[in-house]
Amino acid sequence: MVSPPLDIDLRVLWLTDVIGSAESLVARDADVRSVRELAGRRIATPFGSTAHYSTLSALREAGIEDEVELVNLSPDKMAAAWQRGEIDAAWV
């Protein structure tokens, strides 16, 4: 399923390239050591991107996909949201 608010049944058949080390999950709290520890927090990612897909996969694998608030932010907007304390983590 594509991310909310879209309700489209979709299956990825092939990824031709994964960005790998160009994308990272960064948490504000230095004590966060696993994705599971982000439960109850706000995570920014640009919806519809490979970072978004990676975020959803990681949250699903950790079993917390329904326990976080995803915030749709473009990378250029994340720094300001981070500085204002509006997000707890970002995947970009």
Side-chain angles (χ1 to χ4, degrees):
M1 174 125 26
V2 178
S3 68
L6 301 177
D7 187 19
I8 302 169
D9 190 18
L10 175 74
R11 291 182 196 219
V12 174
L13 301 176
W14 184 310
L15 290 176
T16 60
D17 186 23
V18 176
I19 295 175
S21 63
E23 291 182 349
S24 297
L25 171 63
V26 180
R28 174 179 293 285
D29 184 346
D31 293 332
V32 171
R33 301 278 185 219
S34 71
V35 174
R36 178 76 188 116
E37 294 176 39
L38 291 172
R41 306 199 190 195
R42 298 181 79 200
I43 304 171
T45 190
F47 285 10
S49 67
T50 57
H52 185 214
Y53 178 78
S54 296
T55 303
L56 293 173
S57 294
L59 295 174
R60 194 171 304 119
E61 186 173 314
I64 63 167
E65 64 268 27
D66 295 328
E67 298 176 37
V68 300
E69 180 182 350
L70 287 182
V71 179
N72 182 18
L73 284 179
S74 60
D76 62 318
K77 305 283 191 244
M78 287 182 191
W82 185 278
Q83 290 172 342
R84 291 189 302 262
E86 296 172 353
I87 56 175
D88 302 301
W91 195 317
V92 64

